[in-house]
Amino acid sequence: MHRTLTTLACALTVVFATAWAPAPAAGPAVATTVYTRDGLVRGAAHDGYRTFEGIPYAAAPVGALRWAAPRPAVAWAGTRDATRPASACPQPAGEVPGGSTDEDCLHLNVTTPDGAAPERPRPVIVWLHGGGLTTGAAGSYDAHRMAIRGDVVVVTVDYRLGALGFLAHSGLPGSGTFGLADQQAALRWVRDGIRAFGGDPHNVTLAGESAGGYSVCAQLASPAAGLFDRAIIESGACTGSPDRPFAPSAVPLSTARGAGADLAAKAGCGSSHDVLACLRRVPVSRLLAVQDTDQQPAYATPLLPADPAAAVAAGRFHLVPVLIGNNHDEGNGWAAGIIQAGNPVTPATWPDVVAAFFPSPGQAKAVVREYPVHPADGGPVFGAVIGDANFACPTARTAGLLAARVPLWRYEFADEHARPLTPGAPPFPLGAPHASELPYLFDLGGRPRELTAAQHRLADTMIDYWTRFARTADPNGPSSPRWSRQTVLSLAPDHIVPTRTAGFRHHCAFWSTLG
């Protein structure tokens, strides 16, 4: 029971945030060209915005460059077609239909509003996708609404995932942090080249959701300086820990090396004279088959000297303004998936379900007492435990630590009728689960947002807040409810309320004592 639920939890960490597929390609658009440092690119001009997709920001990490720090992109002659996204980084089937085995994946996409030009640069938002550091694709996030309404340049980034992004092995420089190094390479590309697209290299906001949000935390804690000026963290609190399996976290390098040794053995390279040379010959499909479902970056490394949780607690992070938040019902999607997989949550089964995620008997009994289950509410109670322990309360702790050092704005997305991103009918109403805020900011998979009129108004308001923060470090504007740094902004259709509680049901005092 315990192993089944824990394994399913890790799998759903990936699946829940990646449950959409790209829309069919749109018809032809007017061509538009830009000179980059590596060559000329031809993008597409649309109604009010331009897109440039599949631009390399680093060399293909293949052959000897598999598990190497990202190298500069190779310049090209002529004009490079940038009218469609490049391949996503290697990953199992899910968000990317059929998955991907293409290691030549270090590309980014640029969406720029009409009027943006080198002489009139706009603020830049660099978006890091979620997906448990195992799945996800920059091309899933159509940012044209944000670019047009917010008058900003948006860059979405593909970075190495899974074992290809986070393998750790003794003697391998960059162990456990190759995916994070890719993100930094993309930020350096933005710093050096975004002006050609009408972006301001001196006003860059690094943003992400879930594993992408946690990546922002990691970049805040990394010694690399001068790569971004503000940060947006959605559902990826910096104080995550491995004993909370639904949310991203980091592990010590020694632990990551142990996982790397296990992967080498499973791939048939454990006893090889040169393990790394052997692993570099293993087909991508084989690596995907034997890698762990979830991935964690390694700290005690040059790129990430300390656990982001410890760095934030000690004040050792880049002092930039931060916008951070979580969703009101983060855990409901996982709870629903676990129940639908044949694991009912009833008063009789509840102690065993809790023990699967809190193996300490004392902790498990405390959770059961704090969150009692009745015959009709097992799913929502289970969801509340997952959401409070993994997201809401760690976000509150992260916000408190950051706010002691930098300007900070905190929100809670609370649309109880948010459209689920997973297919099928859930066993109970999900409210505002993990990732459900994303369609309010992006067209996922290039598909128009399926929102009500009230939800469209909320989406516009959220884009206004996010992009004003990117422009000035203050999300407030003349027509939106005032967002005070001393309150949390509850975001729901026709009910945007700055408050000290935002209607929370979270048991954060309990989790602070539980540890």
Side-chain angles (χ1 to χ4, degrees):
M1 171 74 164
H2 292 187
R3 176 171 295 187
T4 298
L5 287 181
T6 303
T7 301
L8 183 58
C10 294
L12 286 169
T13 301
V14 174
V15 172
F16 183 65
T18 59
W20 56 86
V30 178
T32 179
T33 57
V34 167
Y35 285 96
T36 75
R37 65 183 186 184
D38 298 312
L40 186 65
V41 295
R42 181 181 63 252
H46 309 271
D47 184 13
Y49 67 102
R50 297 178 297 155
T51 55
F52 302 86
E53 302 177 285
I55 303 173
Y57 65 84
V62 299
L65 295 186
R66 180 188 277 185
W67 298 306
R71 306 292 175 84
V74 178
W76 56 86
T79 302
R80 182 184 180 95
D81 179 47
T83 59
R84 59 180 59 85
S87 296
C89 284
Q91 59 190 276
E95 176 179 340
V96 176
S100 172
T101 57
D102 189 353
E103 290 182 85
D104 183 5
C105 66
L106 299 187
H107 303 91
L108 51 77
N109 309 314
V110 179
T111 304
T112 183
D114 283 352
E119 60 275 10
R120 297 184 59 219
R122 303 303 201 266
V124 181
I125 296 177
V126 177
W127 178 258
L128 304 177
H129 66 76
L133 300 177
T134 306
T135 69
S140 294
Y141 297 84
D142 179 339
H144 78 275
R145 296 180 189 275
M146 182 179 291
I148 294 173
R149 184 173 181 87
D151 199 26
V152 296
V153 173
V154 184
V155 179
T156 61
V157 178
D158 281 308
Y159 53 93
R160 280 175 283 183
L161 302 167
L164 290 166
F166 298 95
L167 174 77
H169 191 277
S170 59
L172 180 62
S175 273
T177 60
F178 298 107
L180 299 179
D182 294 342
Q183 296 167 7
Q184 291 186 359
L187 286 166
R188 287 191 291 271
W189 185 96
V190 167
R191 181 190 61 194
D192 297 339
I194 200 63
R195 186 175 291 276
F197 296 86
D200 184 352
H202 304 296
N203 188 354
V204 175
T205 297
L206 183 62
E209 182 268 344
S210 193
Y214 188 76
S215 293
V216 177
C217 292
Q219 301 301 348
L220 283 170
S222 177
L227 295 180
F228 56 97
D229 307 283
R230 324 197 202 294
I232 297 176
I233 302 168
E234 300 178 26
S235 302
C238 302
T239 52
S241 61
D243 63 349
R244 300 291 188 264
F246 297 90
S249 61
V251 295
L253 179 58
S254 58
T255 301
R257 284 177 173 171
D262 289 344
L263 179 130
K266 292 176 183 176
C269 294
S271 59
S272 174
H273 174 69
D274 188 335
V275 172
L276 287 174
C278 177
L279 283 172
R280 285 186 170 120
R281 292 191 297 268
V282 174
V284 171
S285 57
R286 175 65 177 160
L287 291 174
L288 294 177
V290 299
Q291 72 180 15
D292 289 338
T293 302
D294 60 336
Q295 298 289 320
Q296 295 160 307
Y299 63 87
T301 59
L303 189 147
L304 198 59
D307 185 344
V312 168
R316 295 194 301 269
F317 60 91
H318 296 298
L319 301 181
V320 300
V322 176
L323 188 156
I324 187 171
N326 58 274
N327 296 351
H328 193 285
D329 306 291
E330 292 274 6
N332 279 0
W334 284 290
I338 291 171
I339 291 170
Q340 287 176 313
N343 301 283
V345 178
T346 67
T349 65
W350 184 225
D352 276 345
V353 172
V354 171
F357 302 104
F358 303 95
S360 166
Q363 283 192 338
K365 290 179 181 178
V367 172
V368 170
R369 286 195 302 269
E370 183 73 12
Y371 294 82
V373 162
H374 305 97
D377 65 1
V381 172
F382 187 18
V385 169
I386 295 171
D388 288 0
N390 292 269
F391 294 97
C393 299
T395 296
R397 173 166 169 72
T398 296
L401 293 170
L402 293 173
R405 307 272 182 168
V406 300
L408 181 130
W409 310 87
R410 184 176 163 210
Y411 74 89
E412 184 176 71
F413 178 76
D415 182 1
E416 63 180 337
H417 300 296
R419 183 172 178 265
L421 298 183
T422 47
F428 61 91
L430 299 185
H434 190 66
S436 60
E437 88 284 7
L438 292 176
Y440 295 70
L441 300 170
F442 301 96
D443 286 3
L444 300 179
R447 299 179 184 277
R449 299 174 296 186
E450 297 182 10
L451 305 178
T452 66
Q455 289 173 328
H456 270 289
R457 289 193 295 272
L458 173 60
D460 289 345
T461 300
M462 290 173 62
I463 287 174
D464 290 344
Y465 281 133
W466 266 234
T467 55
R468 282 195 298 257
F469 173 80
R471 177 169 286 101
T472 67
D474 185 340
N476 287 296
S479 59
S480 301
R482 186 77 182 167
W483 190 347
S484 165
R485 297 213 314 248
Q486 285 70 49
T487 61
V488 183
L489 193 71
S490 179
L491 296 165
D494 296 330
H495 190 68
I496 300 172
V497 181
T499 172
R500 295 189 182 276
T501 62
F504 295 168
R505 298 195 306 262
H506 311 309
H507 298 224
C508 293
F510 167 76
W511 292 105
S512 67
T513 60
L514 194 66

